Amino acid sequence: MSRPRRAARGLARLVLLAAAAAATAAPAPRPYTVVLGIAQDGGLPQAGCRRDCCTSGRREEVSSLALVEPASRRWWLFDATPDFPRQLARMAREAPGCTLAGVFMTHAHMGHYTGLMHLGREAMGARGVRVWAMPRLRAFLEANGPWSQLVELGNIRLVPLAGDAAVALGDSLTVTPFLVPHRDEFSETVGFRIGSGSPGGPGSRGVVFLPDIDKWERWDRRVEDLVAGVDAAYLDATFFDGAELPGRDLREIPHPFVVETLDRFAPLPAGIRARVRFIHLNHTNRALVPGSPERLRIERAGMRVAVAGERVGL
Ligand SMILES: [Zn+2]
Ligand SMILES: [Zn+2]
Ligand SMILES: [Zn+2]
């Protein structure tokens, strides 16, 4: 081999070694959350609606969040919605190479658990996907078809959750359910705090997912305190105000109106308000429409509506 060629090879090897060293020295990419949908259980469009909200061609998937840990190539889903296939497809693009490691369930209303059916033999034929659920929800899934078949065939493996008991995922991630008042016909209802590091410790981060709750006043905790302890909080924004569903008694389907949440947070510092991201919007909620007076009112209050695909680093 000629001397110049040998020198060139040596140089190439040096460059490769340097690149490998740089790769091993780079810090592992941090975990993050991704919004997979922002609509209420019925989605957008909603079946049977012939108004502009649902005939304009716009669509939003049902509210759901993913937690991704790139270092271990795993991700976890929060709520299995009727849009589960499209949300899994989005994750294949968002986090290629990462696999679904489990599902955390808030409650047994149609927008939050029925996507589990896609794990069964008619679709994915999954093996032992962990599904974390509170006691009543676990009993409901075990006792009622078609969910009971997922358990019997081993498509899913139910894992117990308890209120305020943190579940550790990997080295630094925790997921902590907290009970909230809601129409609990089939199961209790929880929200989740997703955290990295030790809560309150240096460098710790947190995200809240709370898509469904009755009025804030019916809860024995203060939502302001919840938001103050995290970096982003995805909060129930089903209805904008009490005038939204003419002909339906909103007392039968109570939620905190967006205007009530705006009022509660108005006295707080801008830095706290900026953490509020509205999610779980009914098809009738005009805040879904960018530029609408309702959307602008939220933005002027220093808060915002969540966007599918947005990420928060942990
Ligand atoms: Zn819901
Ligand atoms: Zn509609
Ligand atoms: Zn619900």
Side-chain angles (χ1 to χ4, degrees):
M1 194 183 288
S2 72
R3 196 174 279 178
R5 268 182 74 185
R6 198 176 298 161
R9 276 209 175 171
L11 189 63
R13 188 173 300 159
L14 263 180
V15 169
L16 279 176
L17 283 173
T24 49
R30 282 174 31 197
Y32 59 93
T33 59
V34 190
V35 172
L36 298 182
I38 66 164
Q40 177 266 4
D41 300 45
L44 183 79
Q46 184 165 125
C49 180
R50 302 173 71 143
R51 284 181 277 174
D52 286 352
C53 47
C54 294
T55 55
S56 69
R58 239 190 105 205
R59 60 171 303 153
E60 291 286 354
E61 281 157 11
V62 175
S63 63
S64 167
L65 198 69
L67 166 65
V68 185
E69 187 181 53
S72 67
R73 297 183 162 263
R74 293 181 297 175
W75 70 278
W76 295 267
L77 180 65
F78 290 80
D79 278 348
T81 83
D83 291 315
F84 184 88
R86 285 164 294 281
Q87 291 169 325
L88 248 66
R90 177 190 277 274
M91 287 308 294
R93 300 191 302 272
E94 294 276 347
C98 294
T99 54
L100 176 64
V103 187
F104 287 86
M105 313 291 297
T106 61
H107 66 302
H109 281 158
M110 67 164 271
H112 303 267
Y113 80 103
T114 56
L116 288 178
M117 63 190 173
H118 294 282
L119 294 165
R121 58 166 40 143
E122 299 91 337
M124 286 173 74
R127 296 301 314 160
V129 171
R130 290 200 281 180
V131 174
W132 281 268
M134 295 291 285
R136 275 186 67 203
L137 177 52
R138 276 203 321 279
F140 172 80
L141 295 172
E142 283 168 341
N144 294 283
W147 326 109
S148 52
Q149 191 180 57
L150 299 174
V151 178
E152 282 154 23
L153 295 181
N155 302 122
I156 64 174
R157 186 157 64 82
L158 294 172
V159 187
L161 278 180
D164 298 318
V167 176
L169 304 172
D171 290 339
S172 73
L173 289 172
T174 56
V175 174
T176 311
F178 51 86
L179 281 159
V180 296
H182 189 42
R183 295 172 291 111
D184 293 341
E185 300 95 334
F186 302 116
S187 74
E188 48 301 76
T189 301
V190 296
F192 289 105
R193 184 191 187 282
I194 303 162
S196 67
S198 50
S204 69
R205 308 260 305 165
V207 171
V208 156
F209 181 59
L210 176 49
D212 257 305
I213 184 171
D214 289 357
K215 297 290 184 187
W216 296 128
E217 303 76 55
R218 295 194 193 170
W219 196 19
D220 59 2
R221 302 184 186 185
R222 292 179 70 244
V223 63
E224 296 91 330
D225 297 340
L226 181 74
V227 174
V230 293
D231 300 278
Y234 294 99
L235 301 183
D236 180 347
T238 309
F239 301 118
F240 192 80
D241 60 28
E244 193 166 320
L245 273 193
R248 287 281 294 267
D249 186 351
L250 288 185
R251 282 171 304 184
E252 288 174 5
I253 38 176
H255 290 273
F257 294 137
V258 170
V259 289
E260 293 170 343
T261 307
L262 296 184
D263 282 348
R264 280 188 81 118
F265 280 86
L268 296 176
I272 301 282
R273 278 181 275 132
R275 301 172 188 181
V276 174
R277 322 234 172 139
F278 290 112
I279 202 166
H280 195 270
L281 281 72
N282 199 55
H283 64 118
T284 53
N285 189 335
R286 291 271 303 157
L288 275 169
V289 182
S292 65
E294 291 82 359
R295 174 75 73 101
L296 293 174
R297 189 164 159 196
I298 290 172
E299 289 165 359
R300 277 199 302 271
M303 296 174 243
R304 58 193 187 82
V305 175
V307 179
E310 74 176 39
R311 295 184 179 196
V312 175
L314 284 167

